[in-house]
Amino acid sequence: MAARRPAPAPTRAATKAAARRPKRRGRRIAAWLGGLVGLGLVLGVGGFAAAYSLTDIPDPNALADAQVSTVYYSDGTTEIGDFATRNRESVTIDQVPLVVQHAVLAAEDRSFYENRGVSPTGIARAVWNNVSGGSQQGGSTITQQYVKNYFLTSERTYKRKFDEFFLSLKIDQAQSKSETLQDYLNTVYFGRNAYGIQTAAQAYFGKDVGQLNASEGALLAAVLKAPSALDPRKDPEAATQRVDYVLDGMVSEGWLSATDRAASGLPPTVEPSQEPDAYAGTDGYLLSTVRSELLSPTVGLTEDELDRGGYRIVTTFDATAQAAAVDAVAEQLPEDRPAGFQVAVSAIDPATGGVRAMYGGADFLQRSRNAVTQDTAQAGSTFKPFALVAALEDGISLRSTYSGSSPMTVKGWSTPVRNFGSESFGRINLLTATANSVNTVYAQLNAAVGPAKTEQVAVRAGYPDTTQDLADNPANVLGTAAPRPIDVTQAYATFAAQGVRNDWHTVASVDDATGARTFTASPTNQRVFSPEVMADATYAMQQVVQQGSGRYARNLGRPAAGKTGTSNGNKSAWFAGFTPQLAATVALYQIGEDGSQQTVKLGSGEVTGGSYPVRVWTAFMRAALQGQPTQAFPKPVYLGTSRGAPAATSAPTRSRTPSPSTSATSSPSETATASPTESPTASPTSSATDAPTSSPTASAATSSAPSTTQDAAQAVPTQAPDQRSASAGPTG
């Protein structure tokens, strides 16, 4: 193998050329990088200029101009309460002592008079902390804080910081530093529910801002960092440290002499005032219901808009009617009501659907669940008018007669149907059967029209089709469904409007902070029943008041119609009634500590629909309708044809045959006394359906055993394959 020839040594020319190549390459790279930097600067300046020019100063947000969204009764002047109270009173910068202005600058932005509205170093420091996982920082000047409070929101997004940056630059060019500081001091939050420095001076020192000294100004400036935590009444040590920081900063900036600094420190403050909670008492239920409606798709406000928008909200609640509801509960029910005893009172204007009164409980702060709109209770015989309407639509006349015997075998029922206390009637027409809430007659009537038709009538009148235990089985006529009280009131308001359904609502109108109308409620005006059917149904329900189980309501002194209802075991008791101008419902029920349904007891007697509920209803309606003209119902037209043999006598023949377990003398009855009285009887009347639940989705009792209840059968219907099951039979 030949030996490898050594490489020739490079010539001088080649060596020089090789040395020049790296230098040329380096210069080209430097030139290329320089070009990129230049291009970046051009693009950066251009982009900055474009972003600046495209940034418009928006209209101020509502937080600065109208912080309180106020809720009024229907008169538009009487306040119910408000949402997200913003306690603020604006002042001019001249009213704020210079030493107080300097204290705020020392705490928040010592370069305020020199910067251009933003602090690049502060922003860089905040960005670094945020991206590196450090604490969230704003890096904000007073101008930026003012922009955030006045024009933007408090959300922590880079988009908001971008908008804040360019808006701050523009604001700094558009107005003077004094104007910016004035607006900032009038909008910033100081704690103690005080927005703006004037209300803060009152909240902390009980004086106007113009009377503040250096120490007091330093404290107000100090709490801006953490208004709640730095209140000296909560943490005097932390407040002292922050006040010292502010005062020392004033000295270093030449705004406070060393002598004045030595005489300054943490000042004394007044005791924080305890603002009354707008949700306390019964008004909390009104505000909560209104708020839910405002946030619903019907009105369409957002939480942020409602809490910051300064809206003027006029409701459908009538101040007189609301006071009447509260007074009726207080005056007609014993004071020593047991724990868990719930009262629901609601009233609806039939012509509009507006809720005129709502008693959802004694104190929203103690129980925030609204008895009217959230709880449910088996309806008992308040459901029977739906079967009556179904019968009238099928051509069955009010003059039709049925046997009122008890017990009775009825098609679809597995065991005999019984009237309350096994009371038997002779052959009676539908007017008498309605007045006395005769179970056996209504069981026959429901079999004739079909339970599905009765259920559909209930939904057309106002029951949601999702109502708990709403079913199309034969027992539904006795009120096995457990609606919310407001649903019953809705249905009876449809009756009062003679078949025109106007869906219930509580918001009449909404105006924004500028006074512009943004929402106006309007009736739905949906006719769901004919006037002729309603005239006859109303006449039948008038008999309940004139001669039947709701006879106490004659004390109202004007035409009224309605129906009592009591659930199995006396776990709920109702009276639902109406005049041409107003429909109202009273429901009483008992919830145990474990949420179970309990027998309602007041005093020594049973609570039934014909006892306390009708008394509360009458007292409420008397006061709510005071001064309004008396209106008459339409006369009956007696639709359809009569069925059955004529009644044996003009009045029902009654014989009370006690059941083995129920004596005639001890059993409660929904039938009123011979003449109405002003005070409850020692033993309230009627019996019951299964009871209300503490949750609208909780199921009612589903026992298959028969139950003895007034207006309810003592049997369970035979369940057809296509029928939903009914819970234990309710009553009157």
Side-chain angles (χ1 to χ4, degrees), residues 612-646:
Y612 288 106
V614 72
R615 298 174 188 278
V616 173
W617 185 92
T618 303
F620 162 72
M621 293 289 280
R622 184 189 294 123
L625 293 172
Q626 187 174 8
Q628 296 190 30
T630 298
Q631 295 183 9
F633 290 116
K635 294 182 179 180
V637 296
Y638 290 101
L639 285 172
T641 57
S642 299
R643 302 186 183 186

Side-chain angles (χ1 to χ4, degrees), residues 418-422 437 439 478 566-570 668 686-690 706-714 728-732:
R418 297 178 185 272
N419 295 327
F420 179 77
S422 290
S437 205
N439 292 337
L478 303 183
T566 315
S567 69
N568 182 49
N570 294 82
S686 164
S687 179
T689 52
D690 223 30
S707 56
T708 303
T709 61
Q710 169 170 11
D711 301 332
Q714 282 190 311
T731 70

